[in-house]
Amino acid sequence: SQDSGSAVGVSPADFAAAGEILPKEAKTFLVNVDDFERKQDKETEMSLNRLALLFTGAILKHSFPLKFNGLNGDIGAPKIKTAQIATGSGSIKMIRRDRKAGGSIVSVGDDTDIDEDEDVAGDVEPSQEKAVRMWINNIGVQNRYIHRLLNACSNGVLLLRLLDHIAKSSVVDWKKGYPKPSNKFRELANCQQFIEICKKNPFNFKVGTTTGQDINERHSKHVLSVTWQLRKFHMFEFLKRIYVRKFGGGQNTADSKIRIDEGKIAQWCMSTIETALDENGGYPPEASHVDLEGIGSKIKGFDDKTLKTGLYLLLLIWAKDPESINWENASNGVTRDQRLSNATYAISVARKMGCTIFLQPTDIIRVRPRMILSFVSAVLAV
C-alpha cells in the first residue's frame, strides 16, 4: 500500500478489485471509463451523475473519496483518462464539475475537505460560510443537505428550526411563523422573528443593524454574522452539557457561568485510551506502521503542537470503538498532506459514530484548542 493521504493512479480493474465494495453495476461502468471521451457532452454528464449515484451507497460505508481528472480535455468534450483514489477521507456528499486550466475535474467525495474554489482537498483555510454550512449539515436540521447557505436561510424556516434545535425547547412562536412560506411577506416574517429571538435570552447575540430583510435578501455579511454566533453558542452549550454530565456543576464564576476545565477533559481522554489499551492488550497490531507509543500520555492540553498529526484523535476514536478505525488509512503525519489526511479521516469516522462535529480538518492541523476540545468531547460523549 502507499502512504495514506497520497493520491495514487489506479486502473479501472484496480477499482473493481478494491475490497469488493462496489456494486456490480459500478464495476462494469468503471471498466468503460475510457469510453467517456468518445461520447457526447450531454451523455457524458448523465454518465457522471449515474456514476455518483452508483458509488454513493458503497462509499458511505468506507472512508475515501474518488476523483476523476480530465487533464487535457476541453469544455465541450471532457476527457476522463486518469482515475485517482486518495485514502483517508470521508463519504460521498456531492459531485461537481470544475472546469479549470483548459480541462475539467469531476469530484466525488466528502466536501469537508473540498472547498467550492479548490481543486485539491483542504489546502485552503475554510471560509466562515463553509464552516457554518458543514455544521448545519452535521446536526441534520430538517433532514436536508445544504449546498448554498444564503439560499437555504433566505426564507427563515431553517434558521427558526435551528433555534428550536439548539435551545432544546420551543423558543419559536410558530403561530407567528410559517413552516412553508408561500410568499415574500411570510418569508420576511420568519426572518424578522429569527432576529428578534436572537436578541433575547438565552442567545443574546449582537445583531447590530441586521434585520430580517437582510437575511431574506441574502446579504452575506449579515447572514454569516448571526449564523456564526449561533454556531459558537451551540458549541459552548454542547461542551457544557457534556462537562456537567461527566463532572457535575464544574467551577462556577461570579456570573454563574460554567467554566470548563480543559485539564479534566484531557485526563478523561488519557484514561479512556489507557483503559482501551488494557482491554485490547496494547496498541492495535495493524497500526505498527505509525508511531503510537506513549501518545496517549504525552498530550497534557489541547494546545499541544503534536496534535497536528491527527494520530492522537484517531487513537481516541479507536479507544471508544476499536472496530471503527482502519489503520491503513493513517500515517505518521510527517508532511502537511499526511496530517490533513489523518485529520479528515478522524472527522469522517467521528461523524459516522454519530458525533456532533464543529471543526474542519485545518482546525486540527493548525492546533486550535477550543475546536479540538469540542471534537474530543463529542467523541468521549458517544
Side-chain angles (χ1 to χ4, degrees), residues 269 272-273 311-320 376 379-380:
C269 292
T272 301
I273 292 173
L311 284 177
Y312 178 80
L313 304 181
L314 289 172
L315 185 61
L316 180 62
I317 294 171
W318 170 83
K320 290 292 292 184
V376 300
V379 172
L380 291 169

Side-chain angles (χ1 to χ4, degrees), residues 300-328:
K300 303 300 182 183
F302 300 112
D303 57 352
D304 193 311
K305 295 303 179 183
T306 57
L307 286 168
K308 67 182 180 181
T309 65
L311 284 177
Y312 178 80
L313 304 181
L314 289 172
L315 185 61
L316 180 62
I317 294 171
W318 170 83
K320 290 292 292 184
D321 183 3
E323 300 297 324
S324 64
I325 296 293
N326 179 0
W327 287 103
E328 292 182 359

Side-chain angles (χ1 to χ4, degrees), residues 150-213:
L150 302 184
N151 291 345
C153 293
S154 62
N155 67 7
V157 177
L158 174 64
L159 296 174
L160 292 176
R161 295 199 184 281
L162 275 172
L163 292 176
D164 274 348
H165 178 85
I166 293 170
K168 299 295 183 182
S169 63
S170 182
V171 296
V172 176
D173 183 358
W174 287 104
K175 293 181 180 179
K176 296 180 180 178
Y178 301 93
K180 296 181 180 180
S182 56
N183 55 57
K184 187 175 181 65
F185 297 105
R186 294 186 173 186
E187 291 180 355
L188 283 169
N190 285 344
C191 294
Q192 191 57 43
Q193 184 179 179
F194 168 75
I195 294 297
E196 294 302 322
I197 295 174
C198 286
K199 296 177 183 178
K200 303 174 184 177
N201 284 326
F203 303 105
N204 298 314
F205 295 161
K206 297 177 181 179
V207 299
T209 59
T210 301
T211 65
Q213 185 173 355

Side-chain angles (χ1 to χ4, degrees), residues 61-233:
K61 299 179 183 178
H62 298 267
S63 296
F64 50 81
L66 303 173
K67 281 200 299 186
F68 297 89
N69 293 350
L71 301 179
N72 300 312
D74 54 55
I75 293 177
K79 298 179 180 179
I80 303 173
K81 292 187 175 182
T82 305
Q84 292 182 332
I85 180 169
T87 62
S89 290
S91 53
I92 282 184
K93 284 294 192 302
M94 68 176 191
I95 177 168
R96 79 169 189 276
R97 298 186 61 207
D98 190 7
R99 292 160 176 170
K100 292 183 178 181
S104 63
I105 295 176
V106 181
S107 299
V108 185
D110 190 342
D111 61 352
T112 53
D113 63 338
I114 302 177
D115 195 76
E116 295 299 328
D117 298 320
E118 293 179 66
D119 57 3
V120 294
D123 205 32
V124 175
E125 175 73 10
S127 65
Q128 280 191 335
E129 182 174 346
K130 179 184 175 184
V132 171
R133 178 170 55 85
M134 294 308 301
W135 160 65
I136 294 174
N137 287 336
N138 180 245
I139 61 179
V141 175
Q142 286 189 297
N143 294 319
R144 56 180 291 193
Y145 188 84
I146 297 170
H147 296 279
R148 295 289 181 268
L149 178 66
L150 302 184
N151 291 345
C153 293
S154 62
N155 67 7
V157 177
L158 174 64
L159 296 174
L160 292 176
R161 295 199 184 281
L162 275 172
L163 292 176
D164 274 348
H165 178 85
I166 293 170
K168 299 295 183 182
S169 63
S170 182
V171 296
V172 176
D173 183 358
W174 287 104
K175 293 181 180 179
K176 296 180 180 178
Y178 301 93
K180 296 181 180 180
S182 56
N183 55 57
K184 187 175 181 65
F185 297 105
R186 294 186 173 186
E187 291 180 355
L188 283 169
N190 285 344
C191 294
Q192 191 57 43
Q193 184 179 179
F194 168 75
I195 294 297
E196 294 302 322
I197 295 174
C198 286
K199 296 177 183 178
K200 303 174 184 177
N201 284 326
F203 303 105
N204 298 314
F205 295 161
K206 297 177 181 179
V207 299
T209 59
T210 301
T211 65
Q213 185 173 355
D214 294 320
I215 305 295
N216 182 250
E217 293 179 354
R218 302 174 176 83
H219 292 169
S220 177
K221 177 181 177 181
H222 295 283
V223 174
L224 288 176
S225 174
V226 289
T227 54
W228 189 259
Q229 290 181 76
L230 193 58
R231 174 178 173 269
K232 183 178 179 181
F233 177 88

